[in-house]
Amino acid sequence: MTTSPSVLVIGGGSTGVGIARDAAMRGFDVTLVEKGNLTHGTTGRMHGLLHSGGRYAVSDQASARECIDENMILRDIATHCVEDTGGLFVKRPEDTEEYYQEKLDGLRECSIPATELTAEEARRKEPFLARDIDKAIEVPDAAIDPFRLCVANAISAANHGARIETFSAVTDLLVEDGEIVGAEVTHESGEGNRVHGVEGSVEEIRVDHIVNAAGAWTGQIAAMADIDVEVRPSKGVMTIMNVRQVDTVINRCQPKGDADIVVPHETTAILGTTDEEVGDPEDYPEEEWEVDLMIEELSKLVPILEDARTIRSFWGVRPLYEPPDTGTDDPTDITREFFLLDHDERDGIPGMTTIVGGKLTTYRLMAEQLVDHLAEKFGMETTCRTAEEPLPGSEDEGVIDDAMDDFGLRSPIAKRSAERLGSRTQEVLDTDEPNPVVCGCEAVTRAEVNDAIEQSGTDLNAVRIRTRAGMGNCQGGFCSHRLANELHPDFDEGRARAALDELYQERWKGQRHALWGRQLSQAMITYTMHALTMNRDRDPAGGGSLDFGAFDSGPSNTPAAGDGQPADGTADVATDGGRGDGRGD
């Protein structure tokens, strides 16, 4: 072909950015659109596990084999996104010996490295494991940063000529003579680099082919062309602890069930999860009992979780899919395999292929097979290189050590900066300007923040995703205003304040379900600081002091820090997250 086939990828999660990268590397003319920020959907709401395949070694061996293969590839191409924590499948006395043996046999059948450990050996590895566990199986699980991974894929795609559009929602598919020829896209908000189109404009993007990689929203996108894709969204809760209670991924060795994994991630530990089918991927209940369940069940594996401080909870929605007429009732029985749906072959409507199912661990494989499909469709002789070519930041494992020597980076702060930046360490940190720490919890420096602002514009939540600033113990309480301050003078005061308000509300959203004991005190301190700093509660001068009694009397007219109006749940800070059981008090 004389010109490159044009492709529009819908969805900026791991699968979408992986497809954009692979397609751009193979010579396609690629545009990617995402209605929010990168990782807006499922990818940004997962527990950070890089699967060894162990979870599926009994029930879904095809997925297990894909996981272990991709696990090893990602360790090579995304070194600065992966922490080699290892994993344990831990058996408690009430867990059956039969299932333990099935797990061990399944791991070996799927060629997943597995080592049996006695209870004493497991506790030597993880001292806080329960004293009554029987034994454990060691597997090559790892922790992965989904935000860093997606950003690296997007940067690589852009470096190969792709156009990446965030905060750009698909509002319609363009169908002409029975063929999908493009999409109507609305560029909704943002200044600087967060949107590359014109803010508030509606654009028709005409292409040779559309890839529907919208995750739990793929059914809604397909419906715009009167195509039926039966996605079965399944919600799961994740609860973030204040510190890393464990340094190894801890799985419970039992058949499918809720609350059976602890994933160490950066400075925290993430507890997961539930599996409950929902009708709408954006409108579902977030219930307190789900958070309670995480702590109560996982304390049976790691007892110190019972009294540990919970700083945040969040829910994600899995884009599960089964072929028609499968008839599975329980979402935990639905395969974690992925599916390519060519709508020309399946529905007689050319111009679009949907990819659905799968998981973050297999995103690269999903992208490879999707782009193979496109290459065959357009008669292109191309070879996938994503399994060999490192992602930006992971080009050279030794560069981190070199940068540590070059910059004298021996403090914990500098070490964490180098680990986050990977091979970009020298590029970002080689500055003549003062480089103080902006976020103390996550040890994020001014140089890293300004580098992220160059990529993200005024979107401080995108800065957070790129740097982890505001994601530690205080959840932005001590650094939010410092992040906003870095926007000036490139952006005016109004934009900086609006960006700060957005960050405040995003950080508050996940804390409402953790308001008991010490975390309630932390929330009150944060509220007070935010309300009084720079007059964020819009209190008129001389108008009297803050009414602390409002926090004891339930819902009231207490203003939310940031916009002068009650934020979602802020006025109910004494009752909305209260456990009622006195835990942590």
Side-chain angles (χ1 to χ4, degrees):
M1 300 182 67
T2 56
T3 58
S4 300
S6 55
V7 175
L8 175 66
V9 180
I10 302 173
S14 57
T15 304
V17 294
I19 291 167
R21 181 196 188 212
D22 195 339
M25 289 172 67
R26 298 205 221 179
F28 285 88
D29 179 7
V30 178
T31 299
L32 179 144
V33 293
E34 162 58 51
K35 67 178 180 178
N37 210 327
L38 296 178
T39 76
H40 169 80
T42 302
T43 297
R45 295 175 172 273
M46 53 91 71
H47 45 40
L49 175 65
L50 180 62
H51 285 273
S52 65
R55 287 178 73 79
Y56 309 114
V58 175
S59 61
D60 193 349
Q61 291 194 340
S63 291
R65 291 185 180 97
E66 289 174 352
C67 283
I68 188 59
D69 290 344
E70 291 301 304
N71 177 302
M72 297 304 164
I73 289 171
L74 289 175
R75 288 169 186 265
D76 289 337
I77 69 165
T79 55
H80 75 311
C81 303
V82 176
E83 180 186 357
D84 185 11
T85 61
L88 294 176
F89 279 88
V90 177
K91 180 185 178 300
R92 285 191 48 77
E94 61 267 33
D95 301 332
T96 69
E97 183 66 29
E98 290 77 10
Y99 184 78
Y100 175 88
Q101 192 59 49
E102 284 183 27
K103 177 71 75 176
L104 192 59
D105 292 343
L107 289 165
R108 290 167 177 164
E109 289 167 9
C110 295
S111 300
I112 299 170
T115 303
E116 289 191 84
L117 303 180
T118 65
E120 292 72 23
E121 289 171 331
R123 276 194 292 272
R124 278 200 294 271
K125 187 174 183 65
E126 284 297 337
F128 291 122
L129 284 175
R131 304 303 300 176
D132 60 347
I133 66 167
D134 292 339
K135 51 188 173 180
I137 305 171
E138 188 173 20
V139 297
D141 284 337
I144 189 164
D145 188 321
F147 306 111
R148 200 176 300 160
L149 182 72
C150 282
V151 169
N153 273 275
I155 290 172
S156 178
N159 289 344
H160 287 90
R163 175 189 179 198
I164 308 295
E165 297 276 356
T166 56
F167 293 91
S168 299
V170 172
T171 48
D172 200 7
L173 295 180
L174 306 178
V175 182
E176 297 178 358
D177 299 324
E179 179 178 0
I180 300 171
V181 297
E184 178 186 273
V185 176
T186 300
H187 304 292
E188 293 189 352
S189 75
E191 197 170 322
N193 294 329
R194 73 189 266 185
V195 167
H196 299 271
V198 178
E199 182 176 353
S201 67
V202 177
E203 178 183 5
E204 284 193 356
I205 301 178
R206 291 178 173 266
V207 291
D208 295 313
H209 203 80
I210 286 179
V211 174
N212 179 8
W217 291 264
T218 52
Q220 296 176 9
I221 295 295
M224 295 177 182
D226 294 325
I227 294 172
D228 184 23
V229 176
E230 281 290 335
V231 179
R232 294 175 60 177
S234 171
K235 74 166 180 174
V237 65
M238 271 65 66
T239 297
I240 303 178
M241 310 310 290
N242 65 323
V243 297
R244 283 171 67 126
Q245 283 81 12
V246 295
D247 289 319
T248 307
V249 175
I250 306 298
N251 306 267
R252 184 160 179 179
C253 192
Q254 64 177 9
K256 62 187 182 183
D258 293 334
D260 61 358
I261 189 169
V262 183
V263 182
H265 185 69
E266 298 282 347
T267 58
T268 63
I270 301 177
L271 316 185
T273 180
T274 47
D275 201 345
E276 182 178 348
E277 195 163 344
V278 297
D280 187 329
E282 291 195 71
D283 185 14
Y284 51 85
E286 298 178 351
E287 300 183 79
E288 189 68 28
W289 68 263
E290 298 174 272
V291 179
D292 292 349
L293 180 67
M294 295 302 104
I295 298 169
E296 291 164 7
E297 286 299 312
L298 287 165
S299 293
K300 297 175 183 177
L301 298 182
V302 185
I304 62 169
L305 294 174
E306 179 76 15
D307 297 317
R309 181 173 145 208
T310 302
I311 62 173
R312 188 176 188 86
S313 291
F314 62 93
W315 279 254
V317 179
R318 306 171 187 86
L320 302 183
Y321 176 81
E322 280 190 315
D325 303 321
T326 304
T328 300
D329 295 325
D330 188 339
T332 61
D333 289 332
I334 300 176
T335 179
R336 267 45 175 177
E337 290 184 77
F338 60 90
F339 298 85
L340 298 184
L341 310 177
D342 185 312
H343 295 295
D344 187 9
E345 300 171 1
R346 177 181 180 265
D347 305 291
I349 302 176
M352 185 167 77
T353 298
T354 290
I355 186 164
V356 66
K359 60 192 70 63
L360 182 135
T361 299
T362 58
Y363 89 91
R364 193 214 59 83
L365 177 64
M366 296 167 69
E368 177 179 346
Q369 293 192 12
L370 188 285
V371 182
D372 283 348
H373 174 75
L374 292 181
E376 181 180 358
K377 182 178 287 290
F378 288 99
M380 297 177 66
E381 294 184 4
T382 63
T383 301
C384 178
R385 309 195 308 276
T386 59
E388 294 82 30
E389 186 168 318
L391 287 162
S394 295
E395 292 91 339
D396 182 356
E397 288 188 64
V399 76
I400 295 180
D401 293 332
D402 292 342
M404 296 280 281
D405 292 333
D406 291 345
F407 290 99
L409 301 180
R410 293 301 170 194
S411 73
I413 291 172
K415 183 176 184 294
R416 285 184 59 76
S417 295
E419 288 171 346
R420 279 190 294 263
L421 294 167
S423 61
R424 298 184 63 243
T425 300
Q426 184 157 356
E427 172 190 342
V428 175
L429 298 184
D430 190 6
T431 174
D432 295 329
E433 299 295 323
N435 190 24
V437 172
V438 175
C439 170
C441 294
E442 293 295 318
V444 182
T445 65
R446 175 179 287 168
E448 291 178 79
V449 170
N450 286 328
D451 174 66
I453 289 172
E454 286 181 13
Q455 302 173 53
S456 310
T458 60
D459 186 356
L460 292 181
N461 279 302
V463 171
R464 172 180 59 82
I465 287 170
R466 285 163 169 79
T467 64
R468 287 192 59 84
M471 295 176 72
N473 254 340
C474 77
Q475 290 289 289
F478 291 96
C479 68
S480 293
H481 63 290
R482 297 173 186 165
L483 294 172
N485 187 61
E486 294 302 318
L487 295 174
H488 185 78
D490 292 337
F491 300 96
D492 62 28
E493 179 186 347
R495 281 303 304 152
R497 285 185 180 272
L500 179 59
D501 287 348
E502 289 179 7
L503 183 60
Y504 278 158
Q505 298 305 331
E506 177 61 29
R507 291 292 80 194
W508 166 251
K509 185 170 63 178
Q511 296 179 60
R512 291 172 295 159
H513 309 279
L515 294 179
W516 63 82
R518 296 174 186 172
Q519 189 59 24
L520 178 59
S521 299
Q522 174 72 59
M524 184 62 201
I525 292 170
T526 300
Y527 175 90
T528 304
M529 290 191 303
H530 289 181
L532 302 181
T533 300
M534 299 182 292
N535 197 29
R536 301 307 294 155
D537 63 347
R538 306 291 197 272
D539 187 31
S545 60
L546 182 67
D547 180 13
F548 289 96
F551 284 86
D552 299 320
S553 58
S556 70
N557 295 321
T558 306
D563 62 2
Q565 299 295 326
D568 187 8
T570 303
D572 301 331
V573 70
T575 57
D576 182 35
R579 300 180 59 95
D581 60 2
R583 185 191 304 277
D585 290 340

